[in-house]
Amino acid sequence: MSKQRSQKPDPSELDLSDVEWKVSSYSGGGGDCVRVGRKDDLILVGDTKNPDRPPMVYTLSEAQAWVLGARDGEFDEMIGLA
């Protein structure tokens, strides 16, 4: 695994041609979801309906904090799951 960066790059400067994107099985295949990929030590989150737009870029620690919070239900109320 790569050493974490101290500063995140502008997403428009990244070469995303080799990124393998994943989409949640909960999206239902209708394109109403985000896609997630990894580029070196960065986690990328993009819009499935607009794949040509630059994705949001997060460090591994930022992405880990979000996923762990989601697992614990910390965001459920925000999206109508609570």
Side-chain angles (χ1 to χ4, degrees), residues 13-78:
E13 296 173 0
L14 295 172
D15 174 10
L16 305 178
S17 62
D18 62 343
V19 173
E20 292 185 34
W21 295 98
K22 293 185 178 197
V23 177
S24 171
S25 62
Y26 289 92
S27 70
D32 291 330
C33 200
V34 296
R35 61 187 190 155
V36 180
R38 182 169 178 171
K39 177 75 175 177
D40 302 321
D41 59 346
L42 299 169
I43 300 299
L44 312 170
V45 179
D47 181 354
T48 58
K49 286 185 178 179
N50 297 291
D52 293 331
R53 287 188 185 164
M56 298 294 295
V57 178
Y58 299 96
T59 64
L60 291 176
S61 60
E62 288 172 327
Q64 289 167 354
W66 187 86
V67 168
L68 293 172
R71 282 184 186 166
D72 285 344
E74 293 179 9
F75 312 111
D76 288 358
E77 190 173 306
M78 293 177 74

